[in-house]
């Protein structure tokens, strides 16, 4: 008879492995039982914030069950191995063609590729601008040692781009009452060494769209007046997957001839799981040959444009699933619900008393996000950092942060409404915000929290 009695091997928390703290820095000498180690690692993840309650992130935190299955089916697919996985490569090419259509590229071969996110896409779009500027300057016999890039208040990826590639970053400072790039300000920073202007469709700090068309018109006028032809790259990390569905009349994309390239995050409002972005060029000629590596092992010649090599294919496959599954109709429904919820939140937060809404999530003017500040000239006895700290008690992560130059002394708080941040959840959040306000009023801190004391929200 086989022995079916329990043994030491069946124990999890009662085992010798888990009856003490696990190694944190020395490389473990011995192997361990998978079930026990799995349990310990999974348990540790409990200490992370709950992603669904993370209202700081722009990224997807809820996916349909079919996405989970597709990700599992793709766990072993390396998208760079285009000869081994030609169908994944074909699916990526289809997504590129669909994006050229969505963003109104002119007829002709769709030019673009997937990336790990908008950051890599920004590096590639930025590099193409630099190369095109260099080629033009060289042809004119002019020096290429002082390139600059003009942006509004941008996400950190553009600081990385300019620093990694030795480009002068001319970031238009915010001003009291002006938290965006305007055409007048953009022109002030442009000269013959400007490789491009980057407006953001959905500024990180407030959620607002920068005025791409007005900036484009201003640059058209500059070209008429001075002959300077300065291209636009749109950082559409969020807006690239919002405006086409929810603000279709907004001209921000390849309908504007000056827009030569666009990046967007598939894992934000593209609704794909974490790890995919897109960069698209208007036409083939906007992507310098020197950035393309040709791989010929597919029968045809395949372009490879990327900073990475190996990368999972699942996110791309899921992006394609989303395009087919939702279509324009579905994306409008999903994002439309988010905009409605943002409006609900903006009204509720405005009615609480101490706050002034900075951006209310209007679909024609920005992304489904709400940002607010404490009313100018008032001191309610608490800071936005106190409020964020108190909301954390219920698991809500609602970031408070100070603005970039020249508004560093102004704190702002922001909620990102994305798929799965439902109106019902937000109604519960509103109740918790009211309770938090009552709490901070009843128990004022001797020393209200500042940004330096805040626990720090990462996104
Ligand atoms: C999120 C974001 C980025 C960076 O995108 P990742 O996909 O996280 O790399 C760049 N620009 C803007 C405006 C963003 O919102």
């Amino acid at each position: 008879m086989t022995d079916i009695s329990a043994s030491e091997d069946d124990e999890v928390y009662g085992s010798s492995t888990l009856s003490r703290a696990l190694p944190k820095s020395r490389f473990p000498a011995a192997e361990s039982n998978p079930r026990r180690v799995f349990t310990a690692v999974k348990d540790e993840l409990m200490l992370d914030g709950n992603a669904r309650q993370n209202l700081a992130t722009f990224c997807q935190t809820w996916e349909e069950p079919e996405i989970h299955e597709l990700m599992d089916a793709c766990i072993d697919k390396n998208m760079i191995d285009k000869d081994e996985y030609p169908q994944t490569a074909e699916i990526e090419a289809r997504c590129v063609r669909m994006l050229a259509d969505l963003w109104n590229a002119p007829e002709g071969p769709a030019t673009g590729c997937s990336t790990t996110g908008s950051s890599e896409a920004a590096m590639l779009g930025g590099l193409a601008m630099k190369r095109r500027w260099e080629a033009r300057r060289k042809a004119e016999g002019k020096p290429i040692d002082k390139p600059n890039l003009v942006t509004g208040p941008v996400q950190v990826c553009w600081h990385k781009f300019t620093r990694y590639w030795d480009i002068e970053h001319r970031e238009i400072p915010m001003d009291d009452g002006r938290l965006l790039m305007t055409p007048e300000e953009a022109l002030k920073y442009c000269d013959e060494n400007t490789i491009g202007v980057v407006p953001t469709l959905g500024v990180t700090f407030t959620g607002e769209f920068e005025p791409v068309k007005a900036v484009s018109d201003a640059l058209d006028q500059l070209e008429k007046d001075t002959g300077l032809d300065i291209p636009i790259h749109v950082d559409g990390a969020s807006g690239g997957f919002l405006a086409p569905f929810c603000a279709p009349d907004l001209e921000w994309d390849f309908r504007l001839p000056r827009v030569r390239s666009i990046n967007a995050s598939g894992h934000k409002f593209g609704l794909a799981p974490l790890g995919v972005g897109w960069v698209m060029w208007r036409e083939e000629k906007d992507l310098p040959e020197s950035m393309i590596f040709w791989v010929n092992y597919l029968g045809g010649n395949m372009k490879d444009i990327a900073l990475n090599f190996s990368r999972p294919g699942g996110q791309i496959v899921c992006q394609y699933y989303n395009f087919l599954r939702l279509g324009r109709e579905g994306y409008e429904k999903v994002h439309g619900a988010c905009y409605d919820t943002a409006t609900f939140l903006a009204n509720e937060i405005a009615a609480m008393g101490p706050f002034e809404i900075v951006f209310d999530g209007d679909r024609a003017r920005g992304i489904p996000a709400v940002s607010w500040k404490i009313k100018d000239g008032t001191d309610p006895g608490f800071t936005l950092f106190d409020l964020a700290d108190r909301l954390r008690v219920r698991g809500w992560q609602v970031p408070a942060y100070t603005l970039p130059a020249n508004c560093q002394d102004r704190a702002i708080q922001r909620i990102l409404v994305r798929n799965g941040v439902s109106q019902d959840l937000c109604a519960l959040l509103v109740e918790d915000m009211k309770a938090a306000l009552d709490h901070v009023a009843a128990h004022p801190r001797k020393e209200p929290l500042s940004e330096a004391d805040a626990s720090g929200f990462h996104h």
Side-chain angles (χ1 to χ4, degrees):
M1 242 179 90
T2 45
D3 182 9
I4 54 162
S5 61
S7 75
E8 145 77 10
D9 283 352
D10 296 314
E11 289 300 332
V12 179
Y13 296 105
S15 68
S16 54
T17 317
L18 294 193
S19 58
R20 59 186 121 89
L22 294 171
K24 302 287 184 291
S25 29
R26 304 300 291 221
F27 198 94
E31 63 178 339
S32 284
N33 171 294
R35 186 155 69 109
R36 292 174 199 152
V37 172
F38 172 84
T39 305
V41 172
K42 184 124 192 272
D43 283 359
E44 185 158 0
L45 295 179
M46 291 191 302
L47 301 181
D48 273 337
N50 174 5
R52 296 286 304 282
Q53 283 183 290
N54 174 4
L55 303 180
T57 187
F58 295 66
C59 295
Q60 280 313 298
T61 51
W62 182 82
E63 296 289 2
E64 294 184 326
E66 289 80 2
I67 295 265
H68 289 266
E69 270 195 50
L70 284 174
M71 288 296 281
D72 208 25
C74 294
I75 196 167
D76 52 0
K77 282 184 204 284
N78 187 348
M79 61 73 67
I80 203 72
D81 290 340
K82 296 179 202 267
D83 55 343
E84 313 280 346
Y85 311 113
Q87 223 46 40
T88 299
E90 164 61 18
I91 284 175
E92 179 185 15
R94 287 180 202 160
C95 288
V96 166
R97 293 197 292 271
M98 289 183 183
L99 286 175
D101 177 42
L102 188 70
W103 295 338
N104 298 293
E107 285 300 317
T111 308
C113 61
S114 72
T115 59
T116 46
S118 275
S119 301
E120 186 188 8
M123 300 299 146
L124 296 171
L127 210 49
M129 282 194 282
K130 181 169 185 275
R131 290 281 164 88
R132 294 197 310 263
W133 171 81
E134 287 169 351
R136 218 168 45 235
R137 297 278 293 173
K138 274 186 190 155
E140 294 166 357
K142 291 180 177 157
I144 55 164
D145 56 337
K146 287 195 171 61
N148 71 67
L149 182 76
V150 174
T151 74
V154 274
Q155 208 264 357
V156 66
C157 71
W158 294 102
H159 296 272
K160 287 186 188 167
F161 168 68
T162 52
R163 203 188 294 175
Y164 287 177
W165 273 277
D166 291 319
I167 293 162
E168 181 197 346
H169 189 176
R170 298 185 175 173
E171 188 172 18
I172 304 166
M174 290 179 165
D175 228 335
D176 231 22
R178 185 185 53 71
L179 305 178
L180 295 175
M181 167 192 293
T182 61
E184 299 76 27
E185 287 294 315
L187 283 193
K188 283 188 207 161
Y189 291 83
C190 289
D191 60 25
E192 60 175 1
N193 290 315
T194 303
I195 65 171
V197 175
V198 179
T200 301
L201 211 65
V203 171
T204 306
F205 308 98
T206 62
E208 286 173 276
F209 292 156
E210 288 188 315
V212 184
K213 179 160 184 355
V215 170
S216 175
D217 290 346
L219 290 171
D220 286 350
Q221 191 59 45
L222 181 76
E223 184 174 2
K224 271 198 199 119
D225 296 344
T226 67
L228 281 183
D229 179 8
I230 300 178
I232 288 177
H233 171 98
V234 179
D235 181 350
S238 299
F241 282 114
L242 288 162
F245 312 115
C246 298
D249 295 333
L250 187 75
E251 286 180 64
W252 65 276
D253 57 10
F254 294 125
R255 280 169 286 184
L256 302 172
R258 193 166 291 279
V259 173
R260 316 307 295 186
S261 48
I262 296 171
N263 69 268
S265 297
H267 53 217
K268 291 184 177 175
F269 292 91
L271 303 176
L274 269 175
V276 65
W278 301 93
V279 58
M280 294 290 299
W281 286 271
R282 177 185 182 75
E283 294 175 77
E284 259 184 324
K285 66 175 170 57
D286 294 309
L287 173 61
E289 268 294 320
S290 65
M291 285 176 62
I292 304 171
F293 294 80
W294 292 96
V295 282
N296 59 4
Y297 35 64
L298 249 190
N301 242 1
M302 290 287 304
K303 276 183 191 140
D304 176 31
I305 317 149
L307 300 182
N308 295 287
F309 195 65
S310 294
R311 185 148 64 79
Q315 288 85 344
I316 296 165
V317 171
C318 291
Q319 183 77 86
Y320 180 59
Y321 165 82
N322 279 332
F323 288 177
L324 293 184
R325 146 92 178 87
L326 293 167
R328 290 176 195 257
E329 180 189 15
Y331 272 100
E332 196 281 328
K333 271 190 202 157
V334 169
H335 296 333
C338 293
Y339 278 110
D340 290 345
T341 299
T343 304
F344 162 78
L345 274 177
N347 290 337
E348 291 286 336
I349 292 167
M352 287 175 191
F355 308 120
E356 180 184 331
I357 302 294
V358 173
F359 178 62
D360 63 359
D362 175 356
R363 65 177 71 195
R365 293 195 300 119
I367 69 177
V370 182
S371 53
W372 66 91
K373 60 182 181 176
I374 287 174
K375 280 180 180 160
D376 285 343
T378 66
D379 177 9
F382 66 91
T383 64
L384 296 176
F385 302 99
D386 290 317
L387 180 57
D389 188 58
R390 187 66 200 163
L391 287 172
R392 198 71 193 245
V393 171
R394 289 278 283 169
W396 301 112
Q397 300 175 63
V398 183
Y401 47 92
T402 51
L403 292 176
N406 289 327
C407 292
Q408 298 95 326
D409 54 348
R410 168 158 304 165
I412 208 170
Q413 202 158 22
R414 189 196 64 200
I415 291 175
L416 246 296
V417 184
R418 54 182 190 276
N419 200 15
V421 179
S422 66
Q423 183 134 178
D424 187 59
L425 270 181
C426 286
L428 299 173
L429 168 65
V430 163
E431 290 313 308
D432 285 340
M433 282 183 77
K434 289 176 182 164
L437 288 179
D438 290 343
H439 180 92
V440 291
H443 308 282
R445 283 182 199 264
K446 256 206 222 126
E447 197 62 60
L449 292 182
S450 69
E451 186 162 48
D453 311 310
S455 51
F457 292 97
H458 306 281
H459 53 98

